[in-house]
Each structure stands twice: as C-alpha cells, then as structure tokens.
Amino acid sequence: MSDTIFTRIIKGEIPCHKVYEDDRVFAFLDISPLAPGHTLVIPKEPAPTLGELSDESAAAVGRVLPRLCRAVAQATGVKDCNILQNNGAPAHQVVMHVHFHIIPKPDAAQGLGIQWPAGKLDPDSGSMMAQRITAAL
Ligand code: 5GP
C-alpha cells in the first residue's frame, strides 16, 4: 500500500510546520486551518482509522493530547477548542491515516461549525444497544 500524505510528512518527504514529535506521535499545523493554531496530532503508526490503531499508539496520542491542547491555547490566546477525529469518508475523513484535529474556537465565525441533530434515547433500545456494545468489547 502506498504511503498517505501524513506518512510522507512524518518521513520529511513533504514539508510541514511541526509542533511536536516523540517516538510514536507527530503533530503539525493543518494546511487549511479552520482557525489560527489548527493542529493535527497523528500516531506514527499508519493505521487508517481509530478502530485499527494499536493500544500503544492510542495511549501515546492520548498522553500528549491534553498538553498539545494547552500549548495551542496558550499560543493562540484562545482557551476554547474542539477535538475532532473523523473515521471513514462518509464521516468526512479525507486522509486515511488516523489524526486528531485540535481546532481553536475564537468566535462564532471561526473554528468548527457543528450540526447536532439530537434524538431522544429510548430506554429499551438504549439498554439493548449498551449490552451489544459491551458484549463486542
Ligand atoms: P480529515 O477530513 O481527513 O479529518 O482532515 C484531513 C486534514 O488534513 C484537513 O484538515 C486538511 O487540511 C489536512 N491536510 C491535508 N493535506 C495536508 C498537507 O499536505 N499538509 C498539512 N499540513 N495538512 C494537510
């Protein structure tokens, strides 16, 4: 399988504005930011989606994500942000290498806009769904 653009960024084949790197994790500025400071945090492991990522890489990303959020907030002066992680093309994933967006929310016009078509959880179907998910773990 050919490298994704993010693997090529990790390898230094494509330039980026790097903000962080360790053994398992790489972070850099998004080329098309929704707001200043929009940062992508990626595992070096080239898993396409979150469900395919190893526990070790997931733990490494999770360990550094709060620190990166604090750094983005301090650098931009914007304390509010969204963490976005898309899986699959219908869920708006374009680059098939796991990535977490840190998107500062400076005001209503900038940052992530969300549609949230909330339903109402039915107690019976909720109970069944919770059991099915638990059984699948
Ligand atoms: P997705 O929609 O897959 O969650 O987001 C992919 C993100 O990667 C987009 O926000 C896009 O702007 C960013 N991106 C795509 N190609 C490049 C690139 O070559 N360099 C950088 N820095 N970001 C990229």
Side-chain angles (χ1 to χ4, degrees):
M1 214 173 65
S2 62
D3 286 345
T4 66
I5 200 146
F6 287 175
T7 293
R8 297 187 62 204
I9 286 174
I10 293 168
K11 288 178 175 174
E13 294 172 3
I14 293 175
C16 74
H17 293 285
K18 181 169 86 172
V19 300
Y20 177 83
E21 182 174 13
D22 66 29
D23 287 353
R24 292 186 182 273
V25 182
F26 196 95
F28 54 104
L29 296 182
D30 195 296
I31 203 168
S32 304
L34 294 183
H38 183 164
T39 298
L40 298 172
V41 184
I42 66 177
K44 289 185 175 175
E45 180 185 336
T49 62
L50 189 63
E52 296 164 280
L53 189 64
S54 69
D55 287 357
E56 291 73 21
S57 289
V61 171
R63 190 180 66 82
V64 76
L65 201 45
R67 188 147 45 108
L68 282 163
C69 283
R70 289 192 295 271
V72 170
Q74 189 175 323
T76 59
V78 176
K79 70 175 175 42
D80 303 313
C81 75
N82 294 97
I83 304 300
L84 177 69
Q85 202 281 308
N86 299 326
N87 293 283
H92 307 289
Q93 184 179 9
V94 173
V95 180
M96 296 307 288
H97 180 131
V98 173
H99 51 281
F100 290 78
H101 298 255
I102 301 175
I103 309 171
K105 188 69 179 169
D107 52 45
Q110 299 180 87
L112 185 67
I114 303 179
Q115 284 187 352
W116 195 274
K120 193 171 185 330
L121 184 64
D122 168 71
D124 292 337
S125 57
S127 172
M128 266 173 23
M129 181 59 76
Q131 284 176 35
R132 282 167 54 193
I133 293 170
T134 303
L137 285 171

